[in-house]
Amino acid sequence: MSHFQGRSFLKETDFTKKEWEYLIGFSLHLKTLKQQQIPHPYLLGKNIALLFEKTSTRTRSAFTVAANDLGAHPEFLGKADIQFGKKESVADTAKVLGSMFDAIEYRGFSQSIVEELAKKSQVPVWNGLTDEWHPTQMLADFMTIKEHFGTLENKVLTYLGDGRNNVANSLLITGVLLGVEVRIAAPSNLQPSAEVVALAKQFAAPNTSFMITDDLNEAVLGADVLYTDVWISMGEDVDTTARLNQLFPYQVNQACIEATQNEEVIFLHCLPAFHDLQTVEGKTLAQSLGVDALEVTDEVFLSPRSLVFTQAENRMHAIKAIMAATLGNLYIPDLNK
């Protein structure tokens, strides 16, 4: 049996450093196969349930195309399509879906829901995003960094903005697990929780450090990767004006790029990004501050150092690797011996 066969991917710590490194390499391999138009139907005849409580562009598209490329049939189940959580419990839904589908993807709010789906369905479950963690995004992110630099060794990733959201949590844990130095630059009340910091210390690779600070200049100096995310998470109830004013000093702009003193620095963003006024929500928020952009300027977002669209494409290749590894009965030896 494959080393990964039948396993779920619910949070970043589900896999070891060696397992992460394998999955990054496998993602890059699958991207090459796709580019060379070499078929790779490892999941022929499999049926995949795509369970979405939150809207999605990249995650839904990536799972759908990845499943099709692998020969599987994806079935989208939106929150208006099934009884999930309204007339039927998570446990009952999990048992029903697990009896009909070979695996389940879940994108929603509560981490406890995706954990219960995995426990009760008895099929692999993949976390497409919860309020706490975003593991498939992380595989694409570190795949992108490895693809660009050729290595993750001695790299520094600085995240700026809301340091308590799922992406910040996930970047911190995944980065230190892989031996990447992660720095979180955020106001003191928007920094990672004590629980997340404790996890980072527990899972950090040997000789791997991390930094949490409210000092942007300290955090970005020498960074190889600058990363940001939207300042208000989906469904979050906050004082919008206060949050925007608090985080505006952490905007990724040209001055921020120059403060890294690294001509090779790249920019990443999990998207969607409010880098201009071309969205209804972005325009409303930006105009409330009297600015042209929020977490990242158009100048940086559209610059050659921005790899955000490569990163977005890599969501599909990374998700394909997870699906194939956990469901495809591939020959993968025990990576932890």
Side-chain angles (χ1 to χ4, degrees):
M1 178 181 284
S2 161
H3 176 72
F4 290 98
Q5 188 69 21
R7 293 171 64 181
S8 292
F9 189 30
L10 308 178
K11 56 189 183 302
E12 289 69 15
T13 54
D14 286 346
F15 296 135
T16 65
K17 182 174 187 282
K18 286 184 178 179
E19 290 169 340
W20 271 94
E21 289 170 342
Y22 172 84
L23 290 168
I24 289 169
F26 189 29
S27 301
L28 290 165
H29 170 67
L30 290 172
K31 183 171 183 176
T32 299
L33 294 184
K34 176 80 168 178
Q35 290 171 336
Q36 296 177 355
Q37 298 183 321
I38 297 172
H40 40 282
Y42 300 130
L43 300 185
L44 200 61
K46 301 291 187 183
N47 290 288
I48 313 296
L50 304 182
L51 189 53
F52 281 76
E53 285 192 303
K54 283 187 176 182
T55 56
S56 169
T57 298
R58 276 149 298 281
T59 303
R60 179 177 177 179
S61 301
F63 268 101
T64 300
V65 175
N68 287 329
D69 281 357
L70 291 168
H73 174 76
E75 184 64 34
F76 177 80
L77 302 171
K79 64 179 182 179
D81 298 323
I82 59 175
Q83 309 294 345
F84 185 67
K86 291 177 290 185
K87 292 184 178 179
E88 190 163 28
S89 69
V90 174
D92 291 356
T93 303
K95 291 172 185 176
V96 171
L97 295 180
S99 72
M100 298 183 187
F101 290 93
D102 299 290
I104 300 167
E105 177 274 346
Y106 170 80
R107 177 183 173 93
F109 296 92
S110 173
Q111 182 70 18
S112 63
I113 290 179
V114 78
E115 302 274 353
E116 188 170 11
L117 281 171
K119 184 178 179 181
K120 297 295 173 61
S121 69
Q122 298 189 328
V123 298
V125 173
W126 307 304
N127 179 356
L129 173 144
T130 62
D131 286 346
E132 292 181 54
W133 306 110
H134 201 354
T136 61
Q137 178 71 51
M138 292 305 105
L139 186 55
D141 292 348
F142 288 92
M143 170 195 174
T144 304
I145 297 167
K146 175 76 179 288
E147 182 180 34
H148 180 77
F149 290 112
T151 183
L152 296 177
E153 287 187 24
N154 302 315
K155 295 305 173 193
V156 176
L157 182 152
T158 299
Y159 172 91
L160 304 96
D162 179 2
R164 302 165 314 138
N165 72 11
N166 47 15
V167 171
N169 290 344
S170 292
L171 284 168
L172 177 58
I173 300 303
T174 313
V176 298
L177 191 156
L178 284 165
V180 173
E181 180 182 340
V182 178
R183 303 172 184 171
I184 306 287
S188 57
N189 67 323
L190 292 177
Q191 292 176 356
S193 68
E195 291 79 9
V196 171
V197 171
L199 275 178
K201 291 177 180 176
Q202 178 185 346
F203 285 93
N207 304 313
T208 301
S209 62
F210 62 90
M211 174 194 296
I212 297 170
T213 180
D214 60 2
D215 187 332
L216 180 143
N217 288 315
E218 181 186 27
V220 303
L221 182 62
D224 299 290
V225 183
L226 293 184
Y227 196 123
T228 191
D229 191 9
V230 293
W231 289 339
I232 301 173
S233 297
M234 196 183 306
E236 191 178 10
D237 183 18
V238 297
D239 182 330
T240 302
T241 303
R243 173 66 65 82
L244 296 181
N245 280 312
Q246 187 179 26
L247 287 176
F248 195 72
Y250 296 87
Q251 182 188 69
V252 181
N253 49 36
Q254 193 56 35
C256 184
I257 294 289
E258 291 170 4
T260 67
Q261 297 183 24
N262 181 359
E263 293 183 0
E264 304 301 319
V265 66
I266 62 171
F267 172 71
L268 297 179
H269 192 307
C270 56
L271 303 183
F274 294 142
H275 60 96
D276 57 23
L277 305 179
Q278 299 305 308
T279 62
V280 172
E281 192 171 330
K283 184 176 181 179
T284 301
L285 292 172
Q287 287 185 336
S288 72
L289 279 189
V291 296
D292 294 328
L294 294 180
E295 72 273 9
V296 58
T297 61
D298 224 25
E299 181 181 17
V300 172
F301 188 86
L302 298 176
S303 71
R305 70 178 71 255
S306 173
L307 300 185
V308 295
F309 294 111
T310 297
Q311 178 189 8
E313 177 194 334
N314 284 347
R315 290 296 308 285
M316 191 271 288
H317 306 296
I319 282 168
K320 189 186 294 182
I322 287 290
M323 296 171 77
T326 57
L327 201 59
N329 283 301
L330 306 181
Y331 172 68
I332 305 171
D334 187 342
L335 300 168
N336 296 317
K337 283 185 178 179

